[in-house]
Amino acid sequence: MADFYELLGVSRDASPDDIKRAYRQRARELHPDANPGDAEAEHQFKEVARAYETLRDPEKRQHYDRFGDTGNGNAGGGDPFGFGGGVGDIFDAFFGGQSPFGGGGRGPSGPPRGPDLEVVTELTFTEAVFGVQKKVDVRTAVACTDCEATGARAGSAPTTCPECGGAGQVRRVRQSLLGQMVTSSVCPRCAGAGETIADPCPTCSGEGRTLEDKTFTVDIPAGVDSASTLRLQGRGAVGPRGGQAGDLYVQFRVESHERFRREGVDLHADLHIPVTQAMLGVDLEYPTLDSVEQIKIPPATPTGHVFRFRGRGVPVVNRSGRGDLHVHVVIDLPHDLDEEQEELVRKLAELRGEEVGTESRGFFSKLRTAFK
C-alpha cells in the first residue's frame, strides 16, 4: 500500500494548505478526463482522493501517522471505501461543483465543464481609476463546427456506452459487515461521458472542440487595481463534446503615475513649493486627475502639511462614491543662491537674531575664492 504522503508528493510535516494544493495538482494529472481508458491512472486517481480524505482531517491524519492505513477509513467512521469528500473536492475544483458523471445527488451525467482561463491586461493609472473598455486576446477551446461539438464524424453520431448505459459511471455491489455496500466509479470505457464514438471527427479527433484565438471586449469598471480580478462567466474554454464553457478571469497590472500614489480608494501626491511661498503664503492652481483645484497656502506653512480634497480620489468599484485626494506639502530649499540673494538671507537671519554659518554658498563668492 503506497504511503499517503508519497501519493500526494508532500513531506510528513506538510501544512493543510500544502496538502490541498498538492492534491489538486495530482487530481488534475490523474483525472479520467485527462487519461481516457487508462485503468492505472483511474486507480491512482482514487488512491490520491483517499489519501487526501485522510490527511485533510486532523484526527484521521494523526491516526494514520501512528498506525498507517488500517483499511477502514482510518478510524472515525465516514466512507468505508476511503473516498469521503475527496472526489467531491475534485468536482468543486474543476467542474464548478457539479459532477460530470452523475450520481450521488451532485448533478446530471454528461460532458464535463471546460477549464477556466486567465489573462493579464495592462492598464494606465487613469484607466484603472476611471474605467475603460479593453480588448483581451486569449487562446481557448471552442466548439468544433464540423461535428457540431459531438466529436463524431459528419453523418455519424455518438452511441450510448454499453458498459454504463449512458450513466457515465459504473456501480458495483459488495458484501461487508454492514451489509450490501454500493460503490460508484467512472466508467473506464467512456471516461464518464456516457457515450462512445466509433467514427471520430477528423477535425477535432473526437474532442468536439478545437483551439482558436479569440478577442473579447471587456468593460473594466472604474476603481480597479493591480490586485483586482474580473470574472467573465462562460468566456473560458468549452468542455469536450459540448461541455459547458468555463470562466475567463482577467487580472490587471496597473502602471504607476508620475505624481499620484494610490492607497485603497485614496490618492496621495506631493506638492513642492519654495521656502518663500511657504513663509509668505500663495494661491496655487493644482491639477488633479479630472479637475483643477485651488490651493491656498497660508503663511508659515510647514513641510508635511496636508490639503484634503474630498471626492477627488478613486471611485469605489461597482458602487457610488470616491475616495479623497491628499496633497502633502514639501518645502524645497534653494541650492543656487547668488551673492545678492545670500546677503538678503543673512540680513534676515541678523534681523531675527538667528546664528548662521559663515561659509558663503554663493556662486560668485566661490568663484572668487577659487582664483585667490
Side-chain angles (χ1 to χ4, degrees), residues 36-38 42 159-164 168 170 186-197 241:
D38 189 337
E42 180 185 355
T159 57
T160 301
C161 176
E163 185 161 344
C164 66
V170 291
V186 178
C187 176
R189 184 161 183 172
C190 66
E195 297 177 330
T196 58
I197 298 176
R241 301 183 194 175

Side-chain angles (χ1 to χ4, degrees), residues 66-265:
R66 293 181 62 189
F67 305 109
D69 181 17
T70 58
N72 64 352
N74 297 304
D79 184 352
F81 307 108
F83 289 99
V87 175
D89 283 340
I90 293 174
F91 299 149
D92 289 337
F94 307 123
F95 302 113
Q98 291 192 357
S99 165
F101 314 122
R106 295 187 65 87
S109 62
R113 177 181 182 270
D116 295 333
L117 302 178
E118 182 178 306
V119 295
V120 178
T121 186
E122 303 277 349
L123 298 177
T124 67
F125 192 89
T126 304
E127 287 174 340
V129 170
F130 296 113
V132 69
Q133 275 194 342
K134 279 280 187 178
K135 293 185 182 297
V136 296
D137 300 319
V138 60
R139 188 163 181 78
T140 184
V142 298
C144 177
T145 55
D146 289 352
C147 66
E148 297 181 347
T150 64
R153 186 188 293 268
S156 65
T159 57
T160 301
C161 176
E163 185 161 344
C164 66
Q169 59 183 354
V170 291
R171 290 183 172 84
R172 295 180 176 85
V173 180
R174 76 172 186 175
Q175 294 292 332
S176 73
L177 294 176
L178 301 177
Q180 283 191 339
M181 306 297 293
V182 180
T183 60
S184 297
S185 60
V186 178
C187 176
R189 184 161 183 172
C190 66
E195 297 177 330
T196 58
I197 298 176
D199 191 8
C201 169
T203 303
C204 63
S205 301
E207 270 283 299
R209 56 183 180 172
T210 57
L211 289 178
E212 184 177 301
D213 293 320
K214 298 194 70 173
T215 299
F216 297 107
T217 299
V218 181
D219 289 316
I220 299 173
V224 300
D225 203 356
S226 289
S228 305
T229 300
L230 182 65
R231 176 192 177 207
L232 302 178
Q233 191 170 5
R235 297 287 186 90
V238 300
R241 301 183 194 175
Q244 179 186 359
D247 299 331
L248 174 63
Y249 290 86
V250 182
Q251 292 190 345
F252 306 115
R253 185 178 296 131
V254 180
E255 298 174 0
S256 58
H257 194 275
E258 59 182 5
R259 285 196 297 128
F260 297 105
R261 305 180 299 276
R262 180 171 175 176
E263 294 182 9
V265 294

